[in-house]
Amino acid sequence: MEKTLTIIKPDATERDLLGHILNRFEKAGFKIVEMKMMNLSKDEAGRFYEVHKERPFYGELTDYMSSGPIVPIVLEKDNAIADLRLLIGATDPAEAASGTLRDEVGMDKGRNSVHASDSLESAAIEIPFFFG
Ligand code: UDP
Ligand code: MG
């Protein structure tokens, strides 16, 4: 069984979408194996998104990710990493395929409601970041 990290982002916790999103994960066959609600400091958000530190959106991204409660979750399933990326859809909700989570509840390219690890290597870093 493969594990991946997802984060329900501040725009989604703010709009009371936790139950809905957790239900979408479970209905899609993911097992919730670890979960917590927390707040990140801007510095912690910066460390989580370190790979993007040279990008023009890094400051905005780390402000946003430290702006309210987030819910990091470890999900387990066969092929969890690729399957979760499919379930959440493209980064920009305007480009996310119909029926994906970001299409359904995402607001814009920054406030796109959910994070998901993009590879085995990322998952191996991101899971212990929150659940060490
Ligand atoms: N992001 C943004 N502007 C952009 C690209 C990305 O604000 O032009 C934010 C967005 O919240 C995204 C996160 O930075 O989810 C990480 O970007 P990445 O390209 O890794 O997208 P993801 O893997 O989340 O689809
Ligand atoms: Mg990414």
Side-chain angles (χ1 to χ4, degrees), residues 52 85 115-116 118:
H52 292 312
R85 293 295 299 197
H115 167 84
D118 64 5

Side-chain angles (χ1 to χ4, degrees), residues 9 49 51-52 55-58 60-61 64-65 85 88-92 102 108-118:
K9 295 185 176 184
Y49 281 113
V51 291
H52 292 312
R55 303 280 201 91
F57 58 82
Y58 183 69
E60 199 184 343
L61 171 61
Y64 160 62
M65 287 300 288
R85 293 295 299 197
I88 74 170
T91 307
D92 185 348
R102 283 167 165 174
D108 54 49
K109 204 172 187 176
R111 295 172 300 167
N112 56 9
S113 308
V114 277
H115 167 84
S117 302
D118 64 5

Side-chain angles (χ1 to χ4, degrees), residues 34-128:
E34 302 210 60
M35 178 167 79
K36 61 186 169 189
M37 182 178 274
M38 65 185 296
N39 288 268
L40 290 179
S41 66
K42 185 170 164 73
D43 192 60
E44 289 166 332
R47 275 194 282 121
F48 182 75
Y49 281 113
E50 189 100 50
V51 291
H52 292 312
K53 72 168 176 281
E54 305 304 331
R55 303 280 201 91
F57 58 82
Y58 183 69
E60 199 184 343
L61 171 61
T62 54
D63 279 339
Y64 160 62
M65 287 300 288
S66 57
S67 69
I70 62 164
V71 180
I73 303 163
V74 179
L75 295 175
E76 191 174 73
K77 181 186 180 298
D78 286 332
N79 208 32
I81 294 167
D83 285 358
L84 186 64
R85 293 295 299 197
L86 280 177
L87 181 68
I88 74 170
T91 307
D92 185 348
E95 289 166 12
S98 176
T100 60
L101 261 173
R102 283 167 165 174
D103 167 58
E104 187 188 20
V105 301
M107 301 174 77
D108 54 49
K109 204 172 187 176
R111 295 172 300 167
N112 56 9
S113 308
V114 277
H115 167 84
S117 302
D118 64 5
S119 62
L120 267 173
E121 297 69 40
S122 302
I125 294 167
E126 292 178 359
I127 292 170

